[in-house]
Amino acid sequence: MTSLIRRSPSRLLQVSDVLLLLVALVWGTSYGVAKQALAFYPVLGFLAVRFGLTFLILLPQLRGEGRKAWAPGVPLGGVMLAIFLCETYGVLHTTASNAAFLISLCVVLTPFVEWRLLGQKPDARLLPAVGLSLLGTWLLSGGIELQLNLGDGLMLLAALLRALLVCLTGRLTAHTQVPALALTAVQTGVIGCGCLLLGVSTLPGGLPALPREPAFWVGTLYLVLFATLFAFFVQNYALRRSSPTRVSLLMGSEPLFGALFAVLWLSERLTVQAWVGGLLIVAATLWTSLLRR
């Protein structure tokens, strides 16, 4: 299998694209799962449990070559901590449509952050795909008026931080052979410890006792195994084989999968405008794959 992948770079790129789309699917469902878990436990405690469990599972990856992950993993984990705090608190203070639109601005911001940090001017052929992704996300979320509240501001900041994370990951790991699982371990450890410290020091009376409701633990384990372990490993893996702009475009299909999850699992109804927006997002991802070939 390894020799086959080495002889066929195009096949390796296709596998990377499929894995990124699977991550977008998982992350699309994660909003509803996280909201259910947050009904039983505060934000900081929930994030501490989620990423603390992930870190314990991945702790053996930090032996041997995995020690190289500490240098890039700590600053990247700090950025990810800020992202998850902004996203989770942002969703609590704004509407779902506003959150979906604003977080997807990451797709538009990434080429410019990449240009600023890496000195790589965006390929003009990717700009129409960026426009399609942005327009599709706007239609999918139903359109919003530009009246930013606290939650909108937090989601906008999270989108900027997502773009920064994509570029920083490529920059900090470009000249090192850091195992992807080890890097994920350090990142999740930083997030878990950061949320635990914030919860103990900022919440009145500290963090409450862990909930006993099965729904909390089922949702948390789903997020640990799929939305965290699987997703972060794939993202770190794919960034070595693709540009930050293309990664962000593929991840831009996340709102479409979130809408499908809402329809099939939560029995929500979407307008024709929303479905048109979803198709535009799919068109943007296909555009990116064709340009890659």
Side-chain angles (χ1 to χ4, degrees), residues 25-94:
L25 188 154
V26 170
W27 278 353
T29 64
S30 66
Y31 292 104
V33 175
K35 279 196 172 185
Q36 184 182 29
L38 289 173
F40 304 103
Y41 212 48
V43 170
L44 291 173
F46 164 68
L47 292 176
V49 171
R50 172 182 173 182
F51 291 103
L53 287 175
T54 308
F55 175 71
L56 291 177
I57 293 173
L58 293 178
L59 189 58
Q61 301 296 326
L62 295 177
R63 296 176 296 185
E65 290 293 316
R67 296 191 183 97
K68 297 179 180 179
W70 286 104
V74 171
L76 293 175
V79 177
M80 291 175 65
L81 171 61
I83 291 173
F84 277 95
L85 288 175
C86 290
E87 283 188 6
T88 309
Y89 280 112
V91 169
L92 292 178
H93 294 287
T94 189

Short mmCIF file of all heavy atoms in Angstrom, two decimals, residues 25-94:
data_model
loop_
_atom_site.label_atom_id
_atom_site.label_comp_id
_atom_site.label_asym_id
_atom_site.label_seq_id
_atom_site.Cartn_x
_atom_site.Cartn_y
_atom_site.Cartn_z
N LEU A 25 -17.89 16.75 7.52
CA LEU A 25 -19.14 16.09 7.89
C LEU A 25 -19.25 15.93 9.40
O LEU A 25 -20.29 16.25 10.01
CB LEU A 25 -19.23 14.72 7.20
CG LEU A 25 -20.54 13.94 7.31
CD1 LEU A 25 -20.70 13.01 6.13
CD2 LEU A 25 -20.62 13.13 8.61
N VAL A 26 -18.19 15.46 10.02
CA VAL A 26 -18.20 15.26 11.47
C VAL A 26 -18.36 16.59 12.19
O VAL A 26 -19.16 16.72 13.13
CB VAL A 26 -16.90 14.56 11.92
CG1 VAL A 26 -16.79 14.57 13.44
CG2 VAL A 26 -16.87 13.13 11.40
N TRP A 27 -17.62 17.60 11.76
CA TRP A 27 -17.71 18.90 12.41
C TRP A 27 -19.08 19.54 12.19
O TRP A 27 -19.56 20.31 13.02
CB TRP A 27 -16.60 19.82 11.93
CG TRP A 27 -15.31 19.58 12.66
CD1 TRP A 27 -15.12 18.76 13.73
CD2 TRP A 27 -14.04 20.15 12.37
NE1 TRP A 27 -13.80 18.78 14.13
CE2 TRP A 27 -13.11 19.64 13.32
CE3 TRP A 27 -13.58 21.05 11.41
CZ2 TRP A 27 -11.77 19.99 13.33
CZ3 TRP A 27 -12.24 21.40 11.42
CH2 TRP A 27 -11.35 20.88 12.37
N GLY A 28 -19.72 19.22 11.03
CA GLY A 28 -21.06 19.74 10.80
C GLY A 28 -22.06 19.23 11.83
O GLY A 28 -22.97 19.95 12.25
N THR A 29 -21.88 17.99 12.25
CA THR A 29 -22.77 17.41 13.27
C THR A 29 -22.37 17.79 14.69
O THR A 29 -23.17 17.64 15.61
CB THR A 29 -22.77 15.88 13.17
OG1 THR A 29 -21.46 15.38 13.48
CG2 THR A 29 -23.16 15.42 11.77
N SER A 30 -21.16 18.29 14.86
CA SER A 30 -20.65 18.51 16.22
C SER A 30 -21.35 19.66 16.94
O SER A 30 -21.40 19.67 18.18
CB SER A 30 -19.14 18.80 16.17
OG SER A 30 -18.87 20.02 15.51
N TYR A 31 -21.91 20.62 16.19
CA TYR A 31 -22.58 21.74 16.85
C TYR A 31 -23.79 21.26 17.65
O TYR A 31 -23.97 21.64 18.81
CB TYR A 31 -23.00 22.79 15.82
CG TYR A 31 -21.84 23.51 15.18
CD1 TYR A 31 -21.44 23.21 13.88
CD2 TYR A 31 -21.12 24.47 15.88
CE1 TYR A 31 -20.37 23.86 13.29
CE2 TYR A 31 -20.06 25.13 15.30
CZ TYR A 31 -19.68 24.82 14.00
OH TYR A 31 -18.61 25.46 13.42
N GLY A 32 -24.61 20.42 17.03
CA GLY A 32 -25.78 19.90 17.74
C GLY A 32 -25.40 19.02 18.91
O GLY A 32 -26.02 19.08 19.98
N VAL A 33 -24.37 18.19 18.73
CA VAL A 33 -23.92 17.31 19.81
C VAL A 33 -23.37 18.12 20.97
O VAL A 33 -23.66 17.84 22.14
CB VAL A 33 -22.86 16.33 19.27
CG1 VAL A 33 -22.30 15.48 20.41
CG2 VAL A 33 -23.48 15.42 18.20
N ALA A 34 -22.58 19.16 20.67
CA ALA A 34 -22.01 19.98 21.72
C ALA A 34 -23.09 20.74 22.48
O ALA A 34 -23.02 20.87 23.72
CB ALA A 34 -21.00 20.96 21.13
N LYS A 35 -24.10 21.24 21.77
CA LYS A 35 -25.18 21.95 22.44
C LYS A 35 -25.90 21.05 23.43
O LYS A 35 -26.30 21.48 24.51
CB LYS A 35 -26.16 22.52 21.42
CG LYS A 35 -25.71 23.82 20.79
CD LYS A 35 -26.85 24.51 20.10
CE LYS A 35 -26.44 25.90 19.64
NZ LYS A 35 -27.57 26.66 19.06
N GLN A 36 -26.08 19.79 23.06
CA GLN A 36 -26.72 18.85 23.97
C GLN A 36 -25.87 18.63 25.21
O GLN A 36 -26.38 18.60 26.33
CB GLN A 36 -26.95 17.51 23.26
CG GLN A 36 -27.70 16.49 24.12
CD GLN A 36 -27.87 15.17 23.40
OE1 GLN A 36 -27.05 14.79 22.57
NE2 GLN A 36 -28.93 14.45 23.73
N ALA A 37 -24.56 18.50 25.03
CA ALA A 37 -23.68 18.30 26.17
C ALA A 37 -23.62 19.54 27.07
O ALA A 37 -23.54 19.42 28.30
CB ALA A 37 -22.27 17.95 25.68
N LEU A 38 -23.70 20.72 26.47
CA LEU A 38 -23.63 21.96 27.25
C LEU A 38 -24.88 22.17 28.11
O LEU A 38 -24.87 23.03 29.00
CB LEU A 38 -23.43 23.15 26.32
CG LEU A 38 -22.06 23.27 25.66
CD1 LEU A 38 -22.04 24.40 24.64
CD2 LEU A 38 -20.98 23.48 26.71
N ALA A 39 -25.92 21.41 27.85
CA ALA A 39 -27.10 21.49 28.70
C ALA A 39 -26.83 20.88 30.07
O ALA A 39 -27.59 21.13 31.02
CB ALA A 39 -28.28 20.78 28.03
N PHE A 40 -25.77 20.09 30.21
CA PHE A 40 -25.47 19.41 31.47
C PHE A 40 -24.24 19.97 32.18
O PHE A 40 -24.03 19.66 33.36
CB PHE A 40 -25.23 17.91 31.20
CG PHE A 40 -26.38 17.23 30.52
CD1 PHE A 40 -26.31 16.93 29.17
CD2 PHE A 40 -27.52 16.88 31.22
CE1 PHE A 40 -27.36 16.30 28.53
CE2 PHE A 40 -28.58 16.24 30.59
CZ PHE A 40 -28.50 15.95 29.23
N TYR A 41 -23.42 20.77 31.49
CA TYR A 41 -22.15 21.20 32.09
C TYR A 41 -21.73 22.52 31.46
O TYR A 41 -22.00 22.76 30.27
CB TYR A 41 -21.08 20.14 31.85
CG TYR A 41 -20.04 20.01 32.94
CD1 TYR A 41 -20.42 19.93 34.29
CD2 TYR A 41 -18.68 19.97 32.63
CE1 TYR A 41 -19.46 19.79 35.28
CE2 TYR A 41 -17.72 19.83 33.63
CZ TYR A 41 -18.12 19.74 34.95
OH TYR A 41 -17.17 19.62 35.94
N PRO A 42 -21.03 23.40 32.21
CA PRO A 42 -20.60 24.70 31.66
C PRO A 42 -19.55 24.54 30.57
O PRO A 42 -18.90 23.49 30.44
CB PRO A 42 -20.04 25.44 32.87
CG PRO A 42 -19.73 24.39 33.87
CD PRO A 42 -20.71 23.29 33.65
N VAL A 43 -19.37 25.59 29.79
CA VAL A 43 -18.49 25.56 28.63
C VAL A 43 -17.07 25.15 28.99
O VAL A 43 -16.49 24.23 28.38
CB VAL A 43 -18.49 26.93 27.93
CG1 VAL A 43 -17.39 26.99 26.86
CG2 VAL A 43 -19.84 27.21 27.30
N LEU A 44 -16.48 25.81 29.98
CA LEU A 44 -15.09 25.53 30.33
C LEU A 44 -14.93 24.10 30.82
O LEU A 44 -13.94 23.43 30.50
CB LEU A 44 -14.61 26.52 31.39
CG LEU A 44 -14.44 27.96 30.91
CD1 LEU A 44 -14.11 28.88 32.08
CD2 LEU A 44 -13.36 28.06 29.84
N GLY A 45 -15.87 23.61 31.61
CA GLY A 45 -15.79 22.24 32.10
C GLY A 45 -15.95 21.23 30.98
O GLY A 45 -15.23 20.22 30.92
N PHE A 46 -16.88 21.50 30.08
CA PHE A 46 -17.10 20.61 28.94
C PHE A 46 -15.85 20.51 28.06
O PHE A 46 -15.42 19.42 27.68
CB PHE A 46 -18.29 21.10 28.12
CG PHE A 46 -18.38 20.52 26.76
CD1 PHE A 46 -18.66 19.17 26.56
CD2 PHE A 46 -18.17 21.31 25.63
CE1 PHE A 46 -18.74 18.63 25.29
CE2 PHE A 46 -18.25 20.78 24.37
CZ PHE A 46 -18.53 19.44 24.19
N LEU A 47 -15.25 21.66 27.75
CA LEU A 47 -14.04 21.65 26.93
C LEU A 47 -12.88 20.98 27.66
O LEU A 47 -12.07 20.28 27.04
CB LEU A 47 -13.66 23.08 26.54
CG LEU A 47 -14.62 23.79 25.57
CD1 LEU A 47 -14.17 25.23 25.34
CD2 LEU A 47 -14.71 23.05 24.24
N ALA A 48 -12.79 21.19 28.97
CA ALA A 48 -11.72 20.54 29.74
C ALA A 48 -11.86 19.02 29.71
O ALA A 48 -10.87 18.30 29.55
CB ALA A 48 -11.73 21.06 31.18
N VAL A 49 -13.08 18.52 29.86
CA VAL A 49 -13.32 17.07 29.82
C VAL A 49 -13.02 16.53 28.43
O VAL A 49 -12.33 15.51 28.27
CB VAL A 49 -14.77 16.75 30.24
CG1 VAL A 49 -15.08 15.28 30.00
CG2 VAL A 49 -14.98 17.11 31.71
N ARG A 50 -13.55 17.20 27.42
CA ARG A 50 -13.38 16.72 26.04
C ARG A 50 -11.92 16.61 25.66
O ARG A 50 -11.45 15.56 25.18
CB ARG A 50 -14.12 17.66 25.09
CG ARG A 50 -13.86 17.38 23.62
CD ARG A 50 -14.58 18.39 22.73
NE ARG A 50 -14.20 18.22 21.34
CZ ARG A 50 -14.64 18.99 20.35
NH1 ARG A 50 -15.48 19.98 20.61
NH2 ARG A 50 -14.24 18.78 19.10
N PHE A 51 -11.17 17.68 25.87
CA PHE A 51 -9.78 17.68 25.42
C PHE A 51 -8.85 17.01 26.42
O PHE A 51 -7.78 16.53 26.04
CB PHE A 51 -9.34 19.11 25.11
CG PHE A 51 -10.02 19.67 23.90
CD1 PHE A 51 -11.07 20.57 24.03
CD2 PHE A 51 -9.65 19.29 22.63
CE1 PHE A 51 -11.72 21.08 22.91
CE2 PHE A 51 -10.28 19.78 21.51
CZ PHE A 51 -11.32 20.69 21.65
N GLY A 52 -9.26 16.99 27.69
CA GLY A 52 -8.47 16.23 28.66
C GLY A 52 -8.48 14.75 28.36
O GLY A 52 -7.44 14.07 28.43
N LEU A 53 -9.65 14.19 28.03
CA LEU A 53 -9.75 12.78 27.66
C LEU A 53 -8.93 12.50 26.40
O LEU A 53 -8.25 11.47 26.31
CB LEU A 53 -11.21 12.40 27.42
CG LEU A 53 -12.11 12.29 28.66
CD1 LEU A 53 -13.55 12.01 28.25
CD2 LEU A 53 -11.61 11.19 29.59
N THR A 54 -9.00 13.40 25.44
CA THR A 54 -8.24 13.21 24.21
C THR A 54 -6.74 13.17 24.48
O THR A 54 -6.01 12.33 23.94
CB THR A 54 -8.55 14.34 23.22
OG1 THR A 54 -9.96 14.45 23.05
CG2 THR A 54 -7.91 14.06 21.87
N PHE A 55 -6.28 14.08 25.34
CA PHE A 55 -4.86 14.12 25.67
C PHE A 55 -4.42 12.83 26.35
O PHE A 55 -3.34 12.28 26.04
CB PHE A 55 -4.57 15.31 26.58
CG PHE A 55 -3.15 15.37 27.07
CD1 PHE A 55 -2.11 15.68 26.21
CD2 PHE A 55 -2.86 15.08 28.39
CE1 PHE A 55 -0.80 15.72 26.65
CE2 PHE A 55 -1.54 15.13 28.85
CZ PHE A 55 -0.52 15.44 27.97
N LEU A 56 -5.22 12.30 27.26
CA LEU A 56 -4.85 11.05 27.95
C LEU A 56 -4.77 9.89 26.98
O LEU A 56 -3.90 9.03 27.10
CB LEU A 56 -5.87 10.75 29.05
CG LEU A 56 -5.86 11.72 30.25
CD1 LEU A 56 -6.97 11.35 31.22
CD2 LEU A 56 -4.50 11.73 30.94
N ILE A 57 -5.67 9.86 26.01
CA ILE A 57 -5.65 8.79 25.01
C ILE A 57 -4.39 8.86 24.15
O ILE A 57 -3.78 7.83 23.81
CB ILE A 57 -6.91 8.85 24.12
CG1 ILE A 57 -8.16 8.53 24.94
CG2 ILE A 57 -6.80 7.88 22.94
CD1 ILE A 57 -9.46 8.74 24.19
N LEU A 58 -3.97 10.07 23.83
CA LEU A 58 -2.82 10.26 22.93
C LEU A 58 -1.50 10.41 23.65
O LEU A 58 -0.46 10.54 23.00
CB LEU A 58 -3.05 11.51 22.07
CG LEU A 58 -4.19 11.43 21.05
CD1 LEU A 58 -4.33 12.74 20.31
CD2 LEU A 58 -3.96 10.29 20.06
N LEU A 59 -1.51 10.37 24.96
CA LEU A 59 -0.28 10.59 25.73
C LEU A 59 0.86 9.67 25.32
O LEU A 59 2.02 10.12 25.22
CB LEU A 59 -0.57 10.44 27.22
CG LEU A 59 0.55 10.83 28.19
CD1 LEU A 59 0.98 12.28 27.98
CD2 LEU A 59 0.11 10.60 29.63
N PRO A 60 0.62 8.38 25.02
CA PRO A 60 1.74 7.52 24.60
C PRO A 60 2.43 7.96 23.31
O PRO A 60 3.56 7.56 23.04
CB PRO A 60 1.07 6.15 24.40
CG PRO A 60 -0.14 6.19 25.28
CD PRO A 60 -0.62 7.61 25.21
N GLN A 61 1.77 8.82 22.52
CA GLN A 61 2.36 9.28 21.26
C GLN A 61 3.52 10.25 21.47
O GLN A 61 4.26 10.55 20.52
CB GLN A 61 1.28 9.96 20.40
CG GLN A 61 0.11 9.08 20.05
CD GLN A 61 0.50 7.90 19.19
OE1 GLN A 61 1.39 8.00 18.35
NE2 GLN A 61 -0.18 6.77 19.38
N LEU A 62 3.69 10.74 22.69
CA LEU A 62 4.72 11.74 22.96
C LEU A 62 6.05 11.13 23.34
O LEU A 62 6.96 11.83 23.79
CB LEU A 62 4.24 12.69 24.08
CG LEU A 62 3.02 13.53 23.70
CD1 LEU A 62 2.57 14.39 24.89
CD2 LEU A 62 3.32 14.42 22.50
N ARG A 63 6.21 9.83 23.15
CA ARG A 63 7.50 9.18 23.39
C ARG A 63 8.32 9.18 22.11
O ARG A 63 7.79 9.25 21.02
CB ARG A 63 7.29 7.75 23.89
CG ARG A 63 6.58 7.66 25.24
CD ARG A 63 6.31 6.23 25.63
NE ARG A 63 5.39 5.58 24.70
CZ ARG A 63 4.91 4.34 24.86
NH1 ARG A 63 5.29 3.61 25.89
NH2 ARG A 63 4.07 3.85 23.98
N GLY A 64 9.63 9.06 22.26
CA GLY A 64 10.52 8.96 21.09
C GLY A 64 10.42 10.17 20.19
O GLY A 64 10.60 11.31 20.62
N GLU A 65 10.12 9.94 18.91
CA GLU A 65 10.01 11.02 17.93
C GLU A 65 8.90 11.99 18.29
O GLU A 65 8.90 13.14 17.85
CB GLU A 65 9.77 10.43 16.53
CG GLU A 65 10.95 9.70 15.94
CD GLU A 65 12.10 10.64 15.64
OE1 GLU A 65 11.85 11.74 15.09
OE2 GLU A 65 13.25 10.30 15.96
N GLY A 66 7.94 11.52 19.08
CA GLY A 66 6.82 12.38 19.45
C GLY A 66 7.23 13.58 20.28
O GLY A 66 6.48 14.57 20.36
N ARG A 67 8.42 13.55 20.90
CA ARG A 67 8.86 14.70 21.69
C ARG A 67 9.05 15.95 20.82
O ARG A 67 9.02 17.06 21.34
CB ARG A 67 10.17 14.36 22.40
CG ARG A 67 10.06 13.24 23.44
CD ARG A 67 11.33 13.15 24.27
NE ARG A 67 11.29 12.05 25.21
CZ ARG A 67 11.82 10.85 25.01
NH1 ARG A 67 12.45 10.61 23.87
NH2 ARG A 67 11.73 9.91 25.92
N LYS A 68 9.26 15.75 19.54
CA LYS A 68 9.43 16.90 18.65
C LYS A 68 8.16 17.73 18.53
O LYS A 68 8.20 18.86 18.03
CB LYS A 68 9.85 16.42 17.25
CG LYS A 68 11.19 15.70 17.20
CD LYS A 68 11.49 15.25 15.79
CE LYS A 68 12.83 14.51 15.71
NZ LYS A 68 13.11 14.04 14.32
N ALA A 69 7.04 17.17 18.96
CA ALA A 69 5.76 17.86 18.79
C ALA A 69 5.57 18.99 19.80
O ALA A 69 4.70 19.85 19.61
CB ALA A 69 4.61 16.87 18.92
N TRP A 70 6.35 19.02 20.88
CA TRP A 70 6.15 20.04 21.90
C TRP A 70 6.40 21.45 21.38
O TRP A 70 5.62 22.37 21.67
CB TRP A 70 7.04 19.77 23.12
CG TRP A 70 6.57 18.62 23.95
CD1 TRP A 70 7.10 17.36 24.01
CD2 TRP A 70 5.46 18.61 24.86
NE1 TRP A 70 6.40 16.57 24.89
CE2 TRP A 70 5.39 17.31 25.43
CE3 TRP A 70 4.53 19.57 25.24
CZ2 TRP A 70 4.41 16.95 26.35
CZ3 TRP A 70 3.55 19.22 26.16
CH2 TRP A 70 3.50 17.93 26.71
N ALA A 71 7.45 21.64 20.61
CA ALA A 71 7.80 22.99 20.16
C ALA A 71 6.71 23.62 19.29
O ALA A 71 6.27 24.73 19.58
CB ALA A 71 9.14 22.95 19.41
N PRO A 72 6.25 22.94 18.21
CA PRO A 72 5.16 23.57 17.44
C PRO A 72 3.79 23.38 18.09
O PRO A 72 2.89 24.20 17.90
CB PRO A 72 5.22 22.82 16.11
CG PRO A 72 5.76 21.47 16.45
CD PRO A 72 6.74 21.70 17.58
N GLY A 73 3.61 22.32 18.89
CA GLY A 73 2.30 22.01 19.43
C GLY A 73 1.80 22.99 20.47
O GLY A 73 0.60 23.28 20.54
N VAL A 74 2.70 23.52 21.31
CA VAL A 74 2.28 24.44 22.37
C VAL A 74 1.70 25.73 21.79
O VAL A 74 0.59 26.14 22.16
CB VAL A 74 3.43 24.71 23.34
CG1 VAL A 74 3.06 25.84 24.30
CG2 VAL A 74 3.78 23.45 24.13
N PRO A 75 2.40 26.44 20.90
CA PRO A 75 1.78 27.66 20.33
C PRO A 75 0.54 27.37 19.51
O PRO A 75 -0.43 28.13 19.56
CB PRO A 75 2.90 28.26 19.48
CG PRO A 75 3.85 27.15 19.22
CD PRO A 75 3.79 26.26 20.41
N LEU A 76 0.54 26.27 18.75
CA LEU A 76 -0.65 25.92 17.98
C LEU A 76 -1.81 25.57 18.90
O LEU A 76 -2.97 25.92 18.62
CB LEU A 76 -0.35 24.74 17.04
CG LEU A 76 0.63 25.02 15.89
CD1 LEU A 76 0.92 23.74 15.11
CD2 LEU A 76 0.09 26.10 14.97
N GLY A 77 -1.51 24.89 20.00
CA GLY A 77 -2.55 24.59 20.97
C GLY A 77 -3.13 25.84 21.60
O GLY A 77 -4.32 25.92 21.89
N GLY A 78 -2.28 26.85 21.82
CA GLY A 78 -2.77 28.12 22.35
C GLY A 78 -3.75 28.79 21.41
O GLY A 78 -4.78 29.33 21.84
N VAL A 79 -3.45 28.75 20.11
CA VAL A 79 -4.38 29.31 19.12
C VAL A 79 -5.68 28.52 19.11
O VAL A 79 -6.78 29.09 19.04
CB VAL A 79 -3.73 29.33 17.72
CG1 VAL A 79 -4.73 29.84 16.67
CG2 VAL A 79 -2.48 30.19 17.71
N MET A 80 -5.58 27.19 19.18
CA MET A 80 -6.78 26.36 19.18
C MET A 80 -7.62 26.58 20.42
O MET A 80 -8.86 26.53 20.37
CB MET A 80 -6.38 24.89 19.04
CG MET A 80 -5.81 24.55 17.68
SD MET A 80 -5.21 22.84 17.57
CE MET A 80 -6.74 21.96 17.76
N LEU A 81 -6.98 26.82 21.55
CA LEU A 81 -7.71 27.14 22.77
C LEU A 81 -8.56 28.39 22.56
O LEU A 81 -9.75 28.42 22.92
CB LEU A 81 -6.73 27.35 23.93
CG LEU A 81 -7.31 27.91 25.23
CD1 LEU A 81 -8.36 26.97 25.81
CD2 LEU A 81 -6.19 28.15 26.24
N ALA A 82 -7.97 29.41 21.97
CA ALA A 82 -8.71 30.65 21.70
C ALA A 82 -9.85 30.39 20.72
O ALA A 82 -10.96 30.94 20.88
CB ALA A 82 -7.76 31.71 21.16
N ILE A 83 -9.61 29.55 19.71
CA ILE A 83 -10.66 29.24 18.73
C ILE A 83 -11.86 28.59 19.39
O ILE A 83 -13.01 29.00 19.19
CB ILE A 83 -10.10 28.33 17.62
CG1 ILE A 83 -9.11 29.09 16.74
CG2 ILE A 83 -11.25 27.78 16.75
CD1 ILE A 83 -8.39 28.22 15.74
N PHE A 84 -11.62 27.56 20.20
CA PHE A 84 -12.73 26.84 20.80
C PHE A 84 -13.47 27.67 21.84
O PHE A 84 -14.68 27.54 21.99
CB PHE A 84 -12.25 25.52 21.39
CG PHE A 84 -12.14 24.43 20.38
CD1 PHE A 84 -10.93 24.16 19.76
CD2 PHE A 84 -13.24 23.68 20.02
CE1 PHE A 84 -10.83 23.17 18.81
CE2 PHE A 84 -13.16 22.68 19.07
CZ PHE A 84 -11.95 22.42 18.46
N LEU A 85 -12.76 28.52 22.54
CA LEU A 85 -13.44 29.42 23.48
C LEU A 85 -14.33 30.40 22.72
O LEU A 85 -15.49 30.63 23.11
CB LEU A 85 -12.41 30.17 24.32
CG LEU A 85 -11.66 29.34 25.37
CD1 LEU A 85 -10.59 30.20 26.04
CD2 LEU A 85 -12.62 28.78 26.41
N CYS A 86 -13.82 30.99 21.64
CA CYS A 86 -14.61 31.93 20.86
C CYS A 86 -15.82 31.25 20.21
O CYS A 86 -16.93 31.78 20.25
CB CYS A 86 -13.74 32.59 19.78
SG CYS A 86 -12.51 33.75 20.41
N GLU A 87 -15.60 30.08 19.63
CA GLU A 87 -16.69 29.37 18.96
C GLU A 87 -17.78 28.97 19.94
O GLU A 87 -18.97 29.19 19.69
CB GLU A 87 -16.15 28.14 18.24
CG GLU A 87 -15.43 28.41 16.94
CD GLU A 87 -15.10 27.12 16.21
OE1 GLU A 87 -15.54 26.05 16.67
OE2 GLU A 87 -14.40 27.19 15.19
N THR A 88 -17.38 28.36 21.06
CA THR A 88 -18.37 27.81 21.98
C THR A 88 -19.18 28.91 22.65
O THR A 88 -20.41 28.84 22.73
CB THR A 88 -17.68 26.94 23.04
OG1 THR A 88 -16.82 26.00 22.39
CG2 THR A 88 -18.72 26.17 23.84
N TYR A 89 -18.49 29.94 23.13
CA TYR A 89 -19.22 31.07 23.71
C TYR A 89 -19.97 31.86 22.65
O TYR A 89 -21.05 32.41 22.92
CB TYR A 89 -18.26 31.99 24.46
CG TYR A 89 -17.89 31.49 25.83
CD1 TYR A 89 -16.59 31.06 26.12
CD2 TYR A 89 -18.83 31.45 26.86
CE1 TYR A 89 -16.25 30.60 27.38
CE2 TYR A 89 -18.49 30.99 28.13
CZ TYR A 89 -17.19 30.57 28.38
OH TYR A 89 -16.86 30.11 29.63
N GLY A 90 -19.41 31.92 21.44
CA GLY A 90 -20.09 32.64 20.37
C GLY A 90 -21.42 32.04 20.00
O GLY A 90 -22.42 32.75 19.81
N VAL A 91 -21.49 30.71 19.90
CA VAL A 91 -22.74 30.03 19.57
C VAL A 91 -23.80 30.30 20.63
O VAL A 91 -25.00 30.39 20.33
CB VAL A 91 -22.49 28.52 19.40
CG1 VAL A 91 -23.80 27.77 19.32
CG2 VAL A 91 -21.67 28.26 18.14
N LEU A 92 -23.37 30.45 21.88
CA LEU A 92 -24.32 30.69 22.96
C LEU A 92 -24.93 32.09 22.90
O LEU A 92 -26.01 32.31 23.45
CB LEU A 92 -23.62 30.51 24.32
CG LEU A 92 -23.19 29.09 24.68
CD1 LEU A 92 -22.47 29.09 26.02
CD2 LEU A 92 -24.37 28.14 24.69
N HIS A 93 -24.27 33.02 22.21
CA HIS A 93 -24.71 34.41 22.23
C HIS A 93 -25.16 34.93 20.87
O HIS A 93 -25.35 36.14 20.72
CB HIS A 93 -23.58 35.31 22.77
CG HIS A 93 -23.23 35.07 24.19
ND1 HIS A 93 -24.03 35.47 25.24
CD2 HIS A 93 -22.16 34.44 24.76
CE1 HIS A 93 -23.48 35.12 26.39
NE2 HIS A 93 -22.34 34.49 26.12
N THR A 94 -25.33 34.05 19.89
CA THR A 94 -25.83 34.49 18.60
C THR A 94 -26.70 33.39 18.01
O THR A 94 -26.85 32.30 18.57
CB THR A 94 -24.67 34.81 17.65
OG1 THR A 94 -25.19 35.44 16.46
CG2 THR A 94 -23.90 33.57 17.23
#
